[in-house]
Amino acid sequence: METFWTDPRIAEDFRHKVGLAEMLKGGVIMDVTNVEQAKIAQEAGAVAVMALERIPSDIRKAGGISRMSQPAMIRAIQDAVSIPVMAKVRIGHFAEAQILQALGVDFIDESEVLTPADNANHIYKHDFKVPFVCGCRNLGEALRRIGEGAAMIRTKGEAGSGDVVEAVTHMREVNDGIRRLQLMRTDELMAEAKRLGAPYHILVATKELGKLPVPNFAAGGIATPADAALMRQLGAETVFVGSGIFASDDPGPRARAIVQASTHFDDPQTLLQVSMELGEPMRGRAVNEMDESEKMAGRGW
Amino acid sequence: MAKPANDLPVGLLTLQGDYAKHEAAFRALGCATAGVRRPADLDRVRCLVIPGGESTTLSRLIDSAGLREPLCAFALQRPVMGTCAGLIMLAGELAGEVPDAHGVRTLGLLDCTVRRNAYGRQVDSFTAPIRFDSFVTGDDPFPAVFIRAPRIERVGPDVEVVATHGGAPVAVRQGRLLGLSFHPELTDDLRLHQAFLDLV
């Protein structure tokens, strides 16, 4: 998998970066805004936490510029839990990423949930030792981010909505793009790379593997155990849950239930059992009723 | 058990972690694999791998699936390999932690003490060539990938240290149990997976 990087330093770093992403498979990564929430997430069985000052649904409400979180707040969470700690930077803001790397976070999310810092460019992620995850809506976007060095891809969905429809759309788009590749003749792949705006050699690797060459997780709108199971059955190898847990009435039980649902995603009896014990999920907002300007998924390209 | 044990597939604990990487390694060696998520699944495998992943998560999922006692019983009969978080789950005790501080309850099968995340955070991850004397075939060092890895700080009298790095054991064996601080499943080198099969 790392063989498409010709520089041996980049190839070795990439193996370590993707290696951590592999360890996070089959789990749930939870957004947390303070130490208490981080402990609830770890106690529930989260494989990692995403430390940020406001969950996406509150970012929507607050408006204004949304930036990297305060390092002191992230440090407090690093000190409180033993699971990996992730944090977000604005799209293209490599100086925020340098700060988070110096802080020793385990993964950086170059995220459309924050206000973009660059209208044209994403971060060149091979410059960093710390691995990056990036969002995508389709195969071309996923392959561009991998080309820049992303070690994990997540479908964007629509963060903070509580509505799973965009996560489903984006996952199906990626899967559809990969199936198309597999049906193509070799002499059609360069034209497809041009059409998608995707790096050719990574597109070829994706065709050969029949899947993205890095782990593919799902994010944006997952609010219930059933949502998590749906995304896992559609091919997500792990799920991110942002607002869905701590904007609900019952964060602890809901976090535990979603962890069970991600592991036992194809076992309806277990899904039934863990869904029984829950209260009200986050209220949310239907994506189809949002203005285009309200949507976060269109940030980045 | 109806079938002779050696006809059964290699079991992979598929609760959480990089079990797909182990599956690929065993497939490359021509071995069928089967996932284990329920106690009854253990009757259908000849050995078991506890993969890398997050030990706090694995510990909880083992309990919620009712697998703690069945795994311990299985390990008395059949070989079990743990890599990284899998080693943590096999270990006798954890160093530097108040028991249950982070809620990790090990299985207590392999008589050793490990310290979680002792090789550092993600940015400290590394690959090192490791010498195995006779345990694996060939003279080439094994490319061992360490990611937020646990350090083995003590081994009991019945535990054989199979390989070391920087003065610390990184591969240990106690009868049919094999514990590794690193991730053989993240490389193309299949010699450790083969060595585990040879224990079966």
Side-chain angles (χ1 to χ4, degrees), chain A residues 82 105 278 287:
Chain A
S82 65
V105 301
L278 297 180
V287 174

Side-chain angles (χ1 to χ4, degrees), chain A residues 232-263:
Chain A
R232 293 276 280 124
Q233 290 185 49
L234 285 173
E237 293 169 304
T238 270
V239 294
F240 283 84
V241 183
S243 317
I245 291 169
F246 290 104
S248 75
D249 289 346
D250 50 355
R254 182 163 297 270
R256 283 195 292 281
I258 295 178
V259 167
Q260 292 294 324
S262 186
T263 291

Side-chain angles (χ1 to χ4, degrees), chain A:
Chain A
M1 166 220 305
E2 59 272 23
T3 51
F4 47 67
W5 312 117
T6 48
D7 179 332
R9 194 271 308 169
I10 286 179
E12 179 163 318
D13 279 355
F14 198 68
R15 179 165 64 191
H16 299 147
K17 292 170 177 176
V18 174
L20 179 58
E22 295 285 346
M23 299 312 142
L24 303 178
K25 281 185 178 176
V28 183
I29 299 166
M30 301 182 192
D31 279 3
V32 297
T33 59
N34 56 44
V35 165
E36 184 199 353
Q37 289 182 355
K39 286 181 174 169
I40 290 172
Q42 175 168 275
E43 185 55 40
V47 292
V49 289
M50 177 78 70
L52 72 176
E53 270 157 8
R54 282 196 281 261
I55 54 175
S57 61
D58 289 338
I59 290 175
R60 282 187 180 284
K61 283 183 207 148
I65 309 300
S66 189
R67 308 178 177 90
M68 174 185 83
S69 295
Q70 293 291 339
M73 168 267 184
I74 300 169
R75 170 62 57 82
I77 289 173
Q78 288 175 308
D79 291 343
V81 297
S82 65
I83 56 179
V85 175
M86 303 183 167
K88 291 181 190 290
V89 300
R90 287 179 267 177
I91 289 172
H93 207 318
F94 52 84
E96 284 186 346
Q98 289 161 356
I99 292 169
L100 289 186
Q101 173 162 279
L103 187 60
V105 301
D106 296 297
F107 236 102
I108 293 177
D109 185 2
E110 186 183 16
S111 177
E112 70 281 1
V113 169
L114 306 186
T115 311
D118 191 319
N119 286 326
N121 307 292
H122 287 249
I123 296 171
Y124 183 69
K125 292 164 269 286
H126 289 305
D127 279 346
F128 291 80
K129 280 284 274 191
V130 60
F132 279 74
V133 52
C134 289
C136 78
R137 286 161 295 172
N138 52 50
L139 182 61
E141 197 173 4
L143 298 183
R144 287 191 289 279
R145 298 293 87 77
I146 298 169
E148 295 156 356
M152 177 201 295
I153 291 297
R154 56 172 176 78
T155 44
K156 283 179 175 171
E158 190 55 45
S161 68
D163 186 348
V164 79
V165 66
E166 291 293 272
V168 169
T169 303
H170 299 157
M171 186 58 71
R172 286 195 186 275
E173 281 284 332
V174 171
N175 291 343
D176 192 50
I178 295 171
R179 274 195 300 269
R180 279 174 52 87
L181 286 185
Q182 290 184 286
L183 295 172
M184 282 180 182
R185 287 164 48 103
T186 310
D187 54 12
E188 294 167 336
L189 295 178
M190 186 60 85
E192 182 68 354
K194 180 186 176 196
R195 192 182 73 80
L196 294 176
Y200 174 74
H201 58 297
I202 298 174
L203 180 137
V204 171
T206 302
K207 174 183 166 71
E208 284 169 2
L209 287 165
K211 63 193 286 296
L212 291 181
V214 303
N216 184 21
F217 295 0
I222 296 161
T224 66
D227 289 347
L230 175 69
M231 296 314 300
R232 293 276 280 124
Q233 290 185 49
L234 285 173
E237 293 169 304
T238 270
V239 294
F240 283 84
V241 183
S243 317
I245 291 169
F246 290 104
S248 75
D249 289 346
D250 50 355
R254 182 163 297 270
R256 283 195 292 281
I258 295 178
V259 167
Q260 292 294 324
S262 186
T263 291
H264 301 286
F265 65 97
D266 54 358
D267 174 358
Q269 279 303 328
T270 300
L271 297 175
L272 168 63
Q273 195 185 327
V274 303
S275 301
M276 283 281 214
E277 299 149 14
L278 297 180
E280 282 290 306
M282 70 179 280
R283 181 159 170 75
R285 286 197 52 201
V287 174
N288 292 337
E289 292 167 9
M290 284 182 192
D291 259 16
E292 280 308 307
S293 64
E294 294 181 82
K295 295 184 186 174
M296 294 172 172
R299 298 168 172 178
W301 56 281

Side-chain angles (χ1 to χ4, degrees), chain B residues 8-73:
Chain B
L8 295 171
V10 172
L12 304 173
L13 193 69
T14 50
L15 294 172
Q16 191 275 317
D18 75 333
Y19 46 83
K21 289 283 166 190
H22 282 288
E23 180 180 6
F26 287 114
R27 290 262 164 92
L29 289 169
C31 276
T33 61
V36 171
R37 281 189 296 181
R38 300 284 175 205
D41 297 336
L42 287 167
D43 297 337
R44 297 188 280 269
V45 298
R46 65 170 134 150
C47 57
L48 184 73
V49 175
I50 306 179
E54 283 307 314
S55 51
T56 50
T57 307
L58 282 171
S59 173
R60 277 160 187 68
L61 290 171
I62 284 171
D63 283 327
S64 60
L67 273 165
R68 183 167 292 271
E69 294 307 317
L71 282 176
C72 292

Side-chain angles (χ1 to χ4, degrees), chain B:
Chain B
M1 267 168 259
K3 281 177 134 184
N6 282 342
D7 286 352
L8 295 171
V10 172
L12 304 173
L13 193 69
T14 50
L15 294 172
Q16 191 275 317
D18 75 333
Y19 46 83
K21 289 283 166 190
H22 282 288
E23 180 180 6
F26 287 114
R27 290 262 164 92
L29 289 169
C31 276
T33 61
V36 171
R37 281 189 296 181
R38 300 284 175 205
D41 297 336
L42 287 167
D43 297 337
R44 297 188 280 269
V45 298
R46 65 170 134 150
C47 57
L48 184 73
V49 175
I50 306 179
E54 283 307 314
S55 51
T56 50
T57 307
L58 282 171
S59 173
R60 277 160 187 68
L61 290 171
I62 284 171
D63 283 327
S64 60
L67 273 165
R68 183 167 292 271
E69 294 307 317
L71 282 176
C72 292
F74 183 89
L76 297 176
Q77 310 279 333
R78 301 278 173 80
V80 180
M81 172 166 74
T83 62
C84 196
L87 162 67
I88 293 169
M89 291 313 302
L90 288 179
E93 56 185 0
L94 301 177
E97 296 188 29
V98 186
D100 285 351
H102 290 294
V104 178
R105 283 179 64 214
T106 68
L107 296 168
L109 295 166
L110 218 165
D111 184 12
C112 65
T113 303
V114 302
R115 187 180 296 271
R116 297 193 305 143
N117 300 339
Y119 288 94
R121 296 184 190 276
Q122 171 61 18
V123 290
D124 305 312
S125 297
F126 63 98
T127 301
I130 304 290
R131 291 251 161 234
F132 281 82
D133 288 334
S134 55
F135 190 68
V136 301
T137 55
D139 295 329
D140 294 339
F142 192 94
V145 179
F146 292 79
I147 294 176
R148 290 169 46 89
R151 191 193 304 273
I152 301 170
E153 297 198 336
R154 179 200 64 86
V155 295
D158 297 331
V159 174
E160 175 192 356
V161 174
V162 183
T164 62
H165 174 67
V170 294
V172 294
R173 179 187 167 184
Q174 182 178 347
R176 297 185 200 84
L177 303 176
L178 180 62
L180 309 173
S181 286
F182 55 92
H183 294 284
E185 72 278 14
L186 293 181
T187 64
D188 297 328
D189 195 324
L190 301 172
R191 288 178 293 166
L192 274 167
H193 287 87
Q194 183 61 58
F196 175 64
L197 289 176
D198 293 341
L199 294 179
V200 177

